[in-house]
Structure formats: structure tokens, C-alpha cells
Amino acid sequence: MSTEAHRHNAIDRLVALLSKLPGVGKKSAGRMVYYILDADPSYARFLAEQLAALHGVIKRCSRCGSFTETDPCPLCSDPGRDPSVICVVERAQDVRVIEESREFRGRFHVLGGLIAPLEGIGPDKLSIGQLLVRVRQEGVREVILAMNPTVEGDTTALYLQKLLKGPDLIVTRLASGLPVGGDLEYADRLTLSRSFRGRVKVQEP
Amino acid sequence: MSTEAHRHNAIDRLVALLSKLPGVGKKSAGRMVYYILDADPSYARFLAEQLAALHGVIKRCSRCGSFTETDPCPLCSDPGRDPSVICVVERAQDVRVIEESREFRGRFHVLGGLIAPLEGIGPDKLSIGQLLVRVRQEGVREVILAMNPTVEGDTTALYLQKLLKGPDLIVTRLASGLPVGGDLEYADRLTLSRSFRGRVKVQEP
């Protein structure tokens, strides 16, 4: 009986909600709730406020599709970024990952998914039409396909590559191969095979 | 400039708050926020409501010190539990862990910490006086010391053991040794040494 009573209280409701988050199981959700209970109540209040406001404050950029507070987003409206190169990614969070690497200074385009016929996701479900319009209108010279190197990522990249093909446009794809600091011994067969096919000539120093 | 603008928005504020949670780094906090953005807005709303209500709804049980919505807590007021055995734990979340094992049907007592002289936590900071009162008043026959097998846990257990010593009271401590399913090869020296000192006679089947 007590165990039942224990199950349906505010702690358990919060544990159930938190364990829906990616990478969070019931145990870690429990640890989080007890951390929140032990912390100053202002922490829970700030967190609640930010969560309640999130969907109202953050929208999709009407140009590139990434999450933003202003439309167009800071990345699309920054004159310091090169508009002639567009990096195409699957999800809005990929923009963040690439931005943090500080490796790319062009514009982004978020597809909103990958082509996955088995899950009923065809090209029409992705923002591909919008990408074609941007390529035409924004004087784009290069499109970098930055999908994950998975079956769906490869399928989508191949589809876009055919669609974008033209005399004035370079279409590239992020290199795939051994991760830096990795070990041949632990590389899977497919990664190894890709790193062979994509091998590059050693440059003289 | 854009990277800076990117840093101070609602997403980053939520990432900063979430990455204070135990076991959550900046990367996993980012994944959480994008999950919340992709999910139905009702999810963020429910989560915000539960968080905002948490500290108001959950209090400490005035008897055992565990988190509860009612005082005394369901565990202290359940007549089906044996009041003559008290299991002493460090933190309120330990009550949950032990309850989920369904191994114990007595009462609990939460110390609220462990004796740690280097961090300035003496016995006076823990609910030890309250434990002594309960042992006297509630007809307790056995106190099970269920602190973690760490230096602080051992120190606290030793302290309580001396304090509780009496002719009518059994004081026990949870067994420490090899984890079930573990491997001798991976056991550290201290665990192995404990499992030797605490070895038990093999029972005839």
C-alpha cells in the first residue's frame, strides 16, 4: 500500500516526465528530481519559467528553418557570413553542433528530416523546395551536404545531389572515415571501407 | 557576432539550467532542449507546471526526514510496516532505492548527510538526536545502518554504532563485498578485502 502511495506523488510525476527526455532513464530522472528538491527553490522556479516560455519565444527561421527568437535568424541576417555557401543539415540541432566547431562561415538550411521510405517520409515532407528556391535566389556557388553518414543520410544526399546538379553549382558532402584519435582496430567495416574509398593524397609539408 | 547572438537566447539559457542537473553535460542538455522544442508544447507546459509546484507540494516527513506530500509520510504511517526495525540512510533518495528493491519492510530514518570533518559536517549537522529519540520511543529492536561503504559512510556508521550500543538493541550494517554478477578480476583491492573479512559460511542446501 505504501509503495503504491509512493508511486503517485509529485516526485513520481516529475520522474515520469523527465525520463521521456533523450538519454534519461528512470534512475537518472530520479537523481535529477532529488537534486532539484535539495537545491534552492529558485532553481526549480527558473527552470519552470524557461520551459513555460520556450515554445512562445523560439520559432523556426522562415529562411533556413533553424530555431531562433528573431526571423530571419541571426545566422541568416549576419552580413559577415558567406551567402554563397549553404550547409544542408537534417535537424535544427545540427546547426548548433556545426556552429560550435567554428568550422563553417556560410549559411545553413535545415531539411527537417531525412528521406526514409519505410517510415513514409518522402522528399515532399522535407524543405527541399525551399532549398531550391534559395539556391536560385541567393547566388549560391556551393551546397555542402552535411547529413549523418547513415542509410537515410546517404539516400537523402544522393537525391539532393541529382536534384541540384547544374553547371554553376558545386555539391559536396562532409568527409566520412576514421574519427580523429580513433583506432583502426575499433573501426567498423563500413567506416573502414569509406575511409579507403575516400583516401586523400598525402600533402608535402 | 552571430555566434554571440546565438549564445544568449532562450535555448542557451535552458541548456545552462539543465546542465546543472546531475549527470547532464552541455551536450546532453542541448539534446534535451531540442527534444522539448520538437515535442508537443504540452510536454514543456506539464514539465514547467510540475517543477513550479514541486517545492510547495513536497516536504520533509517530520518523523523520518524523507520527502513526502503528507506528514507523517506514507512509510511512517503504514501500519503494515514493522516499527521495530529502523533503516538509517544518508539521503532521502536512498529511501526510494531501498523501497524499489522491496527488500525491507520496516521504517526509515534519513540522516541528511554523513559525518565529514574536512567539510565541516559534524554529528550535530545530522538528524542523530531525532534518531535516538525514535529508538527510545518507538520500541526499536534493530537499527540497520545503510550508509554507502565509503570513508564518510564508515565513519558515520562507527559513530552511530557506539552511540546506539545497548543491551536491548541490535545494530547491523549492510553487507559490503563483491557485487552480484561481478567478477573478481575487476574488483578493487578494498572491495576484495571487505569480501574476505565479511565472508560467510556456506549453507547446506
Side-chain angles (χ1 to χ4, degrees):
Chain A
M1 181 206 124
S2 69
T3 315
E4 274 314 299
H6 216 230
R7 285 271 140 80
H8 299 293
N9 65 18
I11 293 178
D12 293 288
R13 285 194 297 274
L14 194 49
V15 166
L17 280 171
L18 288 173
S19 54
K20 293 191 183 183
L21 292 171
V24 180
K26 269 199 70 176
K27 275 210 172 178
S28 38
R31 269 195 295 273
M32 289 176 186
V33 174
Y34 285 106
Y35 172 86
I36 297 168
L37 279 167
D38 283 333
D40 190 276
S42 65
Y43 174 70
R45 200 171 58 238
F46 287 146
L47 197 50
E49 284 168 6
Q50 292 295 325
L51 281 165
L54 190 69
H55 282 276
V57 170
I58 300 289
K59 32 192 168 287
R60 294 275 183 176
C61 172
S62 60
R63 200 173 300 173
C64 75
S66 65
F67 288 117
T68 174
E69 291 186 21
T70 56
D71 191 14
C73 73
L75 297 170
C76 280
S77 53
D78 182 352
R81 299 187 74 105
D82 182 358
S84 70
V85 189
I86 288 189
C87 178
V88 180
V89 295
E90 176 191 350
R91 303 157 305 181
Q93 53 263 54
D94 299 330
V95 172
R96 187 187 185 90
V97 175
I98 293 173
E99 271 304 279
E100 282 177 356
S101 78
R102 295 169 179 274
E103 200 53 56
F104 176 69
R105 296 294 298 164
R107 301 275 162 89
F108 286 96
H109 190 81
V110 178
L111 287 180
L114 295 174
I115 298 173
L118 293 179
E119 294 166 46
I121 305 175
D124 53 306
K125 298 270 175 71
L126 312 177
S127 72
I128 291 175
Q130 172 79 353
L131 174 63
L132 296 180
V133 170
R134 289 186 66 192
V135 167
R136 251 197 332 267
Q137 291 182 346
E138 297 176 20
V140 175
R141 290 181 299 100
E142 180 178 357
V143 172
I144 302 175
L145 303 174
M147 293 97 218
N148 286 333
T150 58
V151 173
E152 287 85 5
D154 292 352
T155 307
T156 311
L158 197 66
Y159 181 89
L160 287 176
Q161 190 185 314
K162 285 181 178 162
L163 205 66
L164 291 165
K165 202 168 59 185
D168 302 324
L169 188 72
I170 303 165
V171 180
T172 57
R173 178 112 197 258
L174 289 191
S176 174
L178 300 173
V180 176
D183 188 319
L184 273 180
E185 197 178 337
Y186 298 116
D188 61 292
R189 206 174 54 77
L190 284 172
T191 300
L192 210 52
S193 142
R194 279 225 185 166
S195 68
F196 266 98
R197 279 188 281 144
R199 66 193 182 278
V200 288
K201 221 170 175 176
V202 178
Q203 307 261 328
E204 294 286 330
Chain B
M1 182 206 123
S2 71
T3 315
E4 274 314 298
H6 215 230
R7 282 273 141 79
H8 298 293
N9 65 18
I11 292 179
D12 293 289
R13 284 195 297 275
L14 194 49
V15 166
L17 279 171
L18 287 173
S19 54
K20 293 192 182 181
L21 292 171
V24 180
K26 268 199 71 175
K27 276 211 171 176
S28 38
R31 270 195 294 273
M32 289 176 186
V33 174
Y34 286 104
Y35 172 87
I36 297 169
L37 279 167
D38 282 332
D40 191 276
S42 64
Y43 174 70
R45 202 171 57 239
F46 287 146
L47 197 51
E49 283 168 6
Q50 292 295 325
L51 281 165
L54 189 70
H55 282 276
V57 169
I58 301 290
K59 33 193 168 287
R60 294 273 183 179
C61 172
S62 60
R63 200 173 299 172
C64 74
S66 66
F67 288 119
T68 174
E69 290 187 21
T70 55
D71 191 14
C73 72
L75 297 170
C76 280
S77 53
D78 182 352
R81 299 187 73 104
D82 183 357
S84 71
V85 189
I86 289 189
C87 178
V88 180
V89 294
E90 177 191 350
R91 303 156 305 179
Q93 52 264 54
D94 299 330
V95 172
R96 188 187 184 90
V97 175
I98 293 173
E99 272 303 279
E100 281 177 356
S101 78
R102 295 170 180 272
E103 199 54 56
F104 177 67
R105 296 293 299 164
R107 300 274 163 89
F108 285 96
H109 190 81
V110 178
L111 286 180
L114 294 175
I115 298 172
L118 293 179
E119 295 167 43
I121 306 174
D124 53 305
K125 298 269 174 73
L126 312 177
S127 72
I128 292 175
Q130 173 80 352
L131 174 64
L132 297 179
V133 171
R134 289 186 66 193
V135 166
R136 252 197 332 265
Q137 290 183 346
E138 296 177 20
V140 175
R141 289 181 298 99
E142 180 178 358
V143 171
I144 302 174
L145 303 174
M147 293 97 218
N148 286 332
T150 58
V151 173
E152 288 84 5
D154 291 353
T155 307
T156 311
L158 198 66
Y159 181 88
L160 288 176
Q161 189 185 313
K162 284 181 180 164
L163 206 65
L164 291 164
K165 201 169 59 184
D168 303 324
L169 188 72
I170 303 164
V171 180
T172 57
R173 178 114 198 256
L174 289 191
S176 174
L178 301 172
V180 176
D183 189 319
L184 272 180
E185 198 179 335
Y186 299 115
D188 61 293
R189 205 175 54 77
L190 283 172
T191 301
L192 209 53
S193 142
R194 280 227 183 164
S195 69
F196 266 98
R197 280 188 279 141
R199 66 193 182 275
V200 289
K201 219 168 176 177
V202 179
Q203 306 262 328
E204 293 285 332

